[in-house]
Amino acid sequence: MATPDPHHAPPEHATRAIVNLDLPRHRISRHLYGHFAEHLGRGIYGGIWVGDGSPHENVDGLRTSVIEALREIAAPNLRWPGGCFADDYHWRDGVGDRAARPHMLNSNWGDVVEDNAFGTHEFLRLCELVGAEPYIAGNVGSGTVAEMSEWVEYLTRADDSPMAAMRRSHGRDRPWSVPFWGLGNEAWGCGGGMRADHYAALARQFATYARSHGGNELYRIAAGANIDDYAWTEALMRAIDGLEPVDGAPRPFQAVSVHAYTHARSWKDKGRATGFTVEEWYTTLSNASRMDELLTRHSAVMQHYDPHGKVGLVVDEWGTWFEPESGTNPHFLFQQNTLRDALVASIHFDIFHRHAQRVVMANLAQTVNVLQAVLLTDAQTGAVVKTPTFHVFEMNRGHHDAWALDVDLVGVPSTRVRERELALLSASASTVGDSALVSLTNLDPAQDRRVMLDLRGREIAGFSARVLTASRLDAHNSPDRTEVEPEPWSDIARTDSGLDVVVPAHGYVTVKVDLA
Ligand code: AHR
């Protein structure tokens, strides 16, 4: 692993970033900072769930340190139980007396036997403890319409309907609030291998019976496209026929999703999570930046059918997907998480912020011990490690539900990475009340970048900055060594028109501005 030698950028090479603080554009939903936890590898079992007889500190079987960490980043929602697992999952197997629950085969992820210890009640208890809103993916691929309909009734019905009565017999009197409902997952692949029009028809049917009970208004999300399958998005948009119904919500589903992962090279050549080359640094970040094009083009298709933007776009799986770590079960998708992952996350958030008029939610895959996890747990000691990606989520908390501000960048260096031009500086900004937050990512592996923030429209009363970087591109955290965590950043100064900030090579800086 080469360690690049950073050089200070002379001011004449500075990038100018113009931000009109008094011209807020659209709301950045906190749900763009959502998470996804599937029954896969050590994500749930051994990650989130330790069981109530565990020596590891827990609340009702849920690992305390995971709950606390997810609270620290104000995790707004959590998608569960899959992923591919969702279309194999039969919810009745995961309720009632835990000892009596039937076992099942997790065919997608290692063909392991699953004992259903973590089911509906455990998931919703986790959401309550974290303060996250549940996003449940129902089973379309191998389930029935009645099964999905009854799960919704079980979860959200207040009276003495058959399913509400069953829930009570399992110890939960009040219904839960379940705002987000997925109509299957990846229906074009593991979720049933369907053609777009076939799935679109099924999504209409399942959505009809996934009812809103009492005050629980379901936001139904149709299983969307793989990466750049714009025809899939178009088929789903054609299937929506109630864009202007009486209650204002499109029918039969209110959003469509899309999945797009980041690999070092390609799906077939994912590359390693650590020990990568500088060339792979560039290809990975270039692949990540493609999210902008994907969202632009999916949104364009949606705009054609829905010019008033009533149907949401949900990126309910994103993040890095590298080769599994050697010595681990390859079907468990365990990978280390480095500074490179942190910058993949920070540039995704800049992109999500820009597209937040259409993009209403996003879910990083996957919360603990799987793919681009925010947390890793040590199998022996149970110690929990906050990954570099975790810290980006934490540093960006100020963007939750804030108003997006345009950032006009002038003089951005770029480099050619295969057929794409990769901008080496990424930025976004938002404001709420008397403060603004500016996020700046320097993708250059070796060169610091000076950014002249031209802050217009409001007076600056104060400022502070934080940085996330490390000496190596593949620096990461482990139970016995923390290499990447945020620190206060002092390479920032007041200028006549705003602030002069140095963003270190391969670094991420957030600037909090207090407004008069
Ligand atoms: O996140 C891992 C898997 O990736 C999910 O189960 C599936 O939806 C996607 O292909």
Side-chain angles (χ1 to χ4, degrees):
M1 173 91 259
T3 302
D5 186 22
H7 309 284
H8 272 274
E12 64 271 22
H13 290 150
T15 295
R16 197 150 151 246
I18 304 161
V19 183
N20 288 298
L21 295 163
D22 57 342
L23 294 178
R25 275 166 46 87
H26 48 261
R27 205 76 188 248
I28 296 172
S29 171
R30 66 185 180 285
H31 290 295
L32 295 177
Y33 287 84
H35 298 269
F36 163 41
E38 180 169 13
H39 290 231
L40 195 177
R42 294 174 51 242
I44 301 280
Y45 299 107
I48 291 169
W49 177 253
V50 292
D52 37 20
S54 167
H56 302 303
E57 203 185 323
N58 67 86
V59 182
D60 300 336
L62 301 157
R63 198 190 290 271
T64 309
S65 47
V66 168
I67 296 165
E68 287 169 352
L70 294 178
R71 289 186 70 84
E72 193 183 330
I73 54 176
N77 67 68
L78 184 57
R79 178 174 181 250
W80 171 85
C84 296
F85 183 80
D87 285 293
D88 263 331
Y89 186 63
H90 300 283
W91 68 271
R92 278 191 173 79
D93 296 346
V95 295
D97 179 9
R98 216 174 277 135
R101 294 182 191 173
H103 292 193
M104 68 172 285
L105 208 52
N106 189 339
S107 311
N108 286 291
W109 305 117
D111 225 17
V112 294
V113 175
E114 141 91 56
D115 67 3
N116 277 308
F118 188 92
T120 297
H121 292 244
E122 291 76 14
F123 169 66
L124 287 152
R125 179 74 176 127
L126 172 68
C127 289
E128 279 174 349
L129 290 167
V130 168
E133 296 190 79
Y135 170 11
I136 293 182
N139 180 346
V140 170
S142 71
T144 65
V145 177
E147 182 185 8
M148 184 186 285
S149 181
E150 286 173 349
W151 198 6
V152 177
E153 181 189 325
Y154 182 94
L155 290 159
T156 61
R157 185 100 188 163
D159 60 13
D160 59 352
S161 77
M163 290 301 116
M166 192 204 286
R167 182 189 68 235
R168 281 199 194 92
S169 75
H170 294 152
R172 170 79 186 196
D173 183 27
R174 281 178 303 117
W176 289 282
S177 161
V178 179
F180 306 115
W181 194 263
L183 303 163
N185 170 74
E186 297 195 350
W188 39 264
C190 62
M194 300 177 212
R195 304 262 185 243
D197 285 335
H198 176 63
Y199 170 71
L202 273 187
R204 287 175 60 99
Q205 185 187 356
F206 275 73
T208 305
Y209 297 94
R211 295 188 167 102
S212 293
H213 294 282
N216 192 83
E217 195 62 40
L218 272 195
Y219 188 79
R220 301 169 195 80
I221 300 162
N226 185 28
I227 315 172
D228 56 359
D229 186 352
Y230 305 112
W232 186 279
T233 299
E234 178 146 30
L236 292 182
M237 292 306 293
R238 275 200 309 262
I240 298 178
D241 57 9
L243 287 173
E244 306 283 355
V246 187
D247 63 4
R251 288 288 182 270
F253 39 84
Q254 292 74 52
V256 302
S257 73
V258 59
H259 290 179
Y261 284 93
T262 298
H263 314 290
R265 290 173 191 276
S266 64
W267 170 250
K268 288 195 173 142
D269 185 8
K270 297 187 180 67
R272 293 179 53 199
T274 56
F276 46 83
T277 62
V278 171
E279 191 219 332
E280 287 171 309
W281 165 271
Y282 281 120
T283 50
T284 304
L285 293 166
S286 171
N287 290 342
S289 72
R290 190 178 172 218
M291 181 60 82
D292 191 44
E293 174 194 317
L294 297 176
L295 296 183
T296 300
R297 298 185 67 175
H298 283 292
S299 298
V301 173
M302 296 176 73
Q303 193 71 15
H304 175 77
Y305 291 89
D306 172 29
H308 301 297
K310 291 188 183 291
V311 181
L313 181 57
V314 172
V315 189
D316 53 15
E317 289 187 28
W318 69 272
T320 56
W321 189 328
F322 300 122
E323 297 301 337
E325 296 297 330
S326 61
T328 66
N329 184 327
H331 303 288
F332 285 7
L333 310 187
F334 177 80
Q335 63 190 41
Q336 246 308 342
N337 190 294
T338 71
L339 182 62
R340 179 178 60 166
D341 294 80
L343 301 200
V344 166
S346 66
I347 63 178
H348 270 82
F349 287 130
D350 291 340
I351 294 166
F352 293 156
H353 295 166
R354 283 199 289 278
H355 287 272
Q357 265 173 308
R358 182 64 80 174
V359 180
V360 295
M361 191 194 295
N363 305 77
L364 178 70
Q366 300 194 6
T367 318
V368 188
N369 294 332
V370 177
L371 298 176
Q372 190 176 350
V374 288
L375 300 168
L376 304 177
T377 64
D378 185 274
Q380 267 71 52
T381 64
V384 169
V385 171
K386 293 174 180 169
T387 66
T389 301
F390 174 94
H391 293 301
V392 173
F393 275 76
E394 189 275 317
M395 291 168 78
N396 271 14
R397 270 187 68 164
H399 289 305
H400 291 205
D401 291 334
W403 292 92
L405 296 165
D406 284 338
V407 182
D408 291 320
L409 293 171
V410 183
V412 178
S414 67
T415 188
R416 195 90 192 151
V417 182
R418 297 185 186 171
E419 74 282 6
R420 300 167 59 77
E421 196 67 19
L422 174 68
L424 293 174
L425 187 83
S426 174
S428 66
S430 70
T431 185
V432 65
D434 285 338
S435 87
L437 184 65
V438 183
S439 297
L440 300 163
T441 305
N442 182 358
L443 309 182
D444 195 310
Q447 178 92 35
D448 292 359
R449 172 99 337 224
R450 166 156 275 136
V451 179
M452 306 301 290
L453 280 179
D454 191 342
L455 301 173
R456 302 176 179 179
R458 299 208 41 191
E459 286 301 313
I460 300 171
F463 61 89
S464 59
R466 296 166 80 201
V467 68
L468 189 73
T469 191
S471 55
R472 288 179 301 110
L473 300 180
D474 72 342
H476 53 273
N477 300 333
S478 59
D480 36 45
R481 196 152 156 209
T482 300
E483 294 184 315
V484 192
E485 66 180 350
E487 289 174 7
W489 186 237
S490 55
D491 214 340
I492 178 167
R494 191 80 170 82
T495 64
D496 287 347
S497 58
L499 296 166
D500 169 355
V501 196
V502 173
V503 188
H506 56 268
Y508 181 58
V509 169
T510 52
V511 182
K512 181 173 176 293
V513 186
D514 303 319
L515 304 171

